[in-house]
Amino acid sequence: MTKYVGQRVKRTEDPRLIKGLAHYVDDIGLPGTLHVAFVRSMYAHAKINGIDTTEAFKAPGVVAVYSGKDIATKVGPVPCAAALPDLKVPDYRVLATNKALFVGHPIAAIVATDKYAARDAVDLIFVDYEELPAVVDVEAAANGGTIIHESFGDNVAYKLTSGEGDIDAAMKAADKIVSQKMVHQRLAPIAMEPRGVLARYFPGEEELTVWSSTQIPHLLRTQLALMIGIPENKLRVITPEVGGGFGSKLNVYAEEALLGWISIQLGKPVKWIESRRENVQATIHGRAQVGTVEVGVKNDGAITGLRYNVVADLGAYHQLLTPAIPTLTGLMLSGAYKIPAIQMNVTGVFTNKMSTDAYRGAGRPEATYVVERVMDVIARELNLDPIEVRRKNFPKADEFPFHTATGLDYDSGDYDGALNKALDLSGYQSLREEQKKARDNGKLIGIGVSSYVEICALGPSQAMPAGGWESATVRIEPTGKVTVLTGASPHGQGQETSFAQIAADELGVDLNDVTVIHGDTGIVQYGIGTFGSRATAVGGTAVLIAIQKLKEKASKIAAHMMQCEASSLSFEDGCYTKKEAAAASVTGKSEPVVPVGEGPAGALNDVPTPTNGRHKLTIQEIALAAHVAKEIPPDTEPGLSATYFFEPKNFTFPFGTHVCVVEIDKETGETKIVKYVAVDDCGKVINPLLVDGQVHGGIVQAIGQALYEEVVYDEQGQLVTGELMDYALPKASQMPWFETDRTETPSPVNPLGVKGVGEAGTIGATPAVVNAVVDALSAYGVTHIDMPIRPEKIWKLIR
Amino acid sequence: MKQAISINVNGADHAGEVEPRLLLVHYLRDVLGLTGTHIGCETSICGACTILLDGQAVKSCTMFAVQADGSNITTIEGLATNGNLHPMQEGFWECHGLQCGYCTPGMIIAATQIVDRNPNPSRDEIRHGLEGNLCRCTGYQHIVEAVEYAAAKKSGV
Ligand code: FES
Ligand code: FES
């Protein structure tokens, strides 16, 4: 019975947000709070010969100044959780000690009584830099030159080969080898709320509370406890409202540990709110791969094998998952296709830049881009229709679970179904005709298609560095209100609503009687967090199963109270009913149900006792009885709550097809998206409104990558795009109207049948846009253009 | 040297002395405790800090508090009247015009001005009106629908 699941339920978290009454980290004020500002390296690569803090110390309001030497041995290094064979892991201290390795590398921390004073004092710290040659070009860095971490002997952090099948034989069996070099430019996640930390140490209790804008409160707590050296059970991490993350807050940052440590030193609350400039400099970046794909194809378009040789720009250090991201690319290189042999050879390389790490899609957009871009290149070389090449290589709907040569088992899918729907919805055939006419009239119109598969619901613990399960506790309080504690950590995705939908349906209660709590390690059982489109598939399932456990207990209590067997009870609309009584009520002999929560204020309802001969009890009445514990079965624990940790057996694999139509202005080279159709299949949908929102937002980030965004470091490693004035985020006026639709192939991996949708747009849309642009320019002999496809690039090409 | 200012914010008069370099957004957030106005860039690009100053949408991150002396300001906290949501707030809720909510106060304020100036804006006009406000979550489409909702509601459609 679903009253809420599947409906466009508007979000329960919205009222506080639209009234301006929500609390992000910077909105939390504690009396006596001190403010922290950082001195950051202005060079990409420099020796630090000395730091003079005398002037800063004397400045008004300054309370303390710390530099790398002060704390080198006191705070542990920034952790990397990725485990790869022979991975070189540099010692990443929270403040630079001898060398600064990227622009924005923190060198000293200033603590002052207000934030203006702290920022003023930054200019009073004199760092004696000795500039070194910067390592910027990732391909050159892979082959020698200046070494960033001297003790390693070169700049290569690791080399890894992955994939299954005999790739050499596959290439030999091909009629043709198609190859294409592609650049996946470096991107900045730019959550609209920058990072921020507030730390407060209670010297009496010896407890530290850290408020941080993070996606992973529990994992952060574990890591901070290790870094700072405080027992994990004396450390509480609270994630208040989080203004977006997109992977950038799926990390453990130097500043988080430093603030905690400083608060302990000073016994005072300390706060640091990242400026946007710091955010672009020192919050992780994404993508940054340069690779060449080679595909063996038969003349009819059938793919025999795929090889991808790629150099990944890791930046100067490993953040939490830095080296692991390109391995996700390797996993998804089969795309939506049957490819008998696949091989990825990745070289992870250090450069004098901020670390790359998980940015929405995290390695999968690169794979999808490679595969979907090269499908068009293949079609062009073989003179085939790009749609036909895709269809030729799709696994059929009855071939699932489908094993790929990257070692995955795709759970369920109907790729042809989604493609057909997208083609219908976009009117693909007539679009092609219109395109022809427009071309005859001298207009540059292009149509691009992308059929993607992504890997979601991360994931089985076997495949995850710190566990891939998720947790939930569900309680029914004595007054009948339902509390759900989730280990997931939503930061805009809306799980306060979608989890409440699941709970309200399962318990037969009103949505407004359910509260979903997350993001406080002092309240919520250990959890993994929100990333990798996992929260609903893994965390939502934990909620569902916790409720099922809770209901098992409730039905035992109900049976005891109604003096019958649990098996003779039915549960509907939040009530346990004796089956014979239910039958009787059809004949008109029903009995009144006592509504819960309608007693006089301050009074609890009467607890029904077995002796009053009731045949129907609400789950709230049972909750009350369970709490007062006078009339529960002898072998039953009092209270009514259940906790469940859900371990998924596999990932889930959402898929879809996007169609993009662009028009290019010949005079300016500007690309305008004139039509955009997205058909996505994310399995069962809990809340279509939220799914649409995720799809729209994802597509816009993908368009951002295709057309506008790029983190640019110049030859000296200076960050050229250091503010939103230079880093071009997509604006409302540049975006088209999205036509979205869905197919629904439930996932067998979890009982909800959901797959996840957080990253689908970002993964599916980038190649659709680029394919459309290349298609528009085909008359000029263009077969590929690297992103971002800004007007000047096109303008130069068609001159 | 501190300077005396008096500003009316959301209908309440506030007088006090502030440093001349204190940004208006910091005055609102740190001095008055109105933390609904957010900071996303400090360079006049993102619009998270948008407020109404004497009825005009302005970015409070690039203005000093002393420049607002004598003015009337409305922030997101002052938009609802007698506990009833402003139609624009309602529109954002109805149409799922927000995800993380960080851009939302500025978006809502900027959007009220679009509809004040043009009671029946086209989708293009809405999008152009929102050029100074960035949202990284929603992809803007639901925001455009939210503004349409509010415009329709205001003109009684
Ligand atoms: S903070 Fe004012 S425009 Fe971004
Ligand atoms: S809702 Fe997150 S930035 Fe707009």
Side-chain angles (χ1 to χ4, degrees), chain B residues 38-49 59 61:
Chain B
H38 297 151
I39 303 169
C41 70
E42 304 155 308
T43 51
S44 235
I45 303 286
C46 77
C49 62
K59 292 178 173 171
C61 73

Side-chain angles (χ1 to χ4, degrees), chain A residues 283-364:
Chain A
T283 289
I284 62 101
H285 295 155
R287 317 289 187 257
Q289 291 186 4
V290 183
T292 299
V293 61
E294 293 169 294
V295 185
V297 282
K298 293 286 198 187
N299 286 329
D300 64 358
I303 298 176
T304 60
L306 181 149
R307 185 189 279 126
Y308 182 48
N309 295 323
V310 60
V311 182
D313 180 351
L314 304 177
Y317 289 107
H318 301 321
Q319 284 278 346
L320 195 63
L321 300 169
T322 300
I325 302 304
T327 65
L328 283 169
T329 308
L331 278 182
M332 290 315 293
L333 280 173
S334 198
Y337 309 105
K338 295 163 86 159
I339 304 179
I342 295 177
Q343 185 184 64
M344 176 172 84
N345 301 301
V346 57
T347 307
V349 177
F350 293 115
T351 56
N352 287 120
K353 305 175 197 169
M354 181 56 199
S355 315
T356 49
D357 204 315
Y359 166 54
R360 201 170 190 173
R364 293 107 89 203

Side-chain angles (χ1 to χ4, degrees), chain A residues 602-623:
Chain A
L604 284 171
N605 286 38
D606 286 341
V607 183
T609 62
T611 46
N612 63 5
R614 298 268 308 274
H615 294 287
K616 193 168 188 170
L617 288 170
T618 66
I619 195 151
Q620 290 100 335
E621 287 174 303
I622 294 161

Side-chain angles (χ1 to χ4, degrees), chain A residues 358-487:
Chain A
Y359 166 54
R360 201 170 190 173
R364 293 107 89 203
E366 293 89 320
T368 305
Y369 183 75
V370 164
V371 173
E372 285 308 297
R373 196 65 275 291
V374 86
M375 293 306 279
D376 272 27
V377 178
I378 292 168
R380 177 80 81 90
E381 293 216 5
L382 297 179
N383 208 9
L384 295 170
D385 177 354
I387 304 288
E388 285 320 309
V389 178
R390 287 177 169 83
R391 278 212 182 103
K392 176 104 210 150
N393 292 288
F394 278 158
K396 303 280 168 279
D398 59 12
E399 287 180 72
F400 289 87
F402 172 74
H403 185 80
T404 69
T406 59
L408 296 172
D409 291 296
Y410 289 178
D411 58 344
S412 61
D414 177 5
Y415 303 162
D416 216 23
L419 172 72
N420 290 338
K421 197 163 191 176
L423 296 182
D424 282 353
L425 197 60
S426 60
Y428 184 77
Q429 278 317 324
S430 54
L431 280 175
R432 283 288 176 206
E433 281 150 31
E434 282 169 37
Q435 177 187 33
K436 228 168 155 208
K437 272 188 226 147
R439 276 187 182 163
D440 295 343
N441 295 328
K443 277 196 182 174
L444 291 180
I445 303 280
I447 304 166
V449 172
S450 150
S451 291
Y452 72 92
V453 179
E454 64 149 332
I455 179 169
C456 280
L458 311 185
S461 294
Q462 288 300 338
M464 306 271 295
W469 44 268
E470 196 47 274
S471 68
T473 296
V474 178
R475 294 199 300 253
I476 306 185
E477 314 290 358
T479 53
K481 301 290 178 194
V482 178
T483 306
V484 175
L485 309 172
T486 171

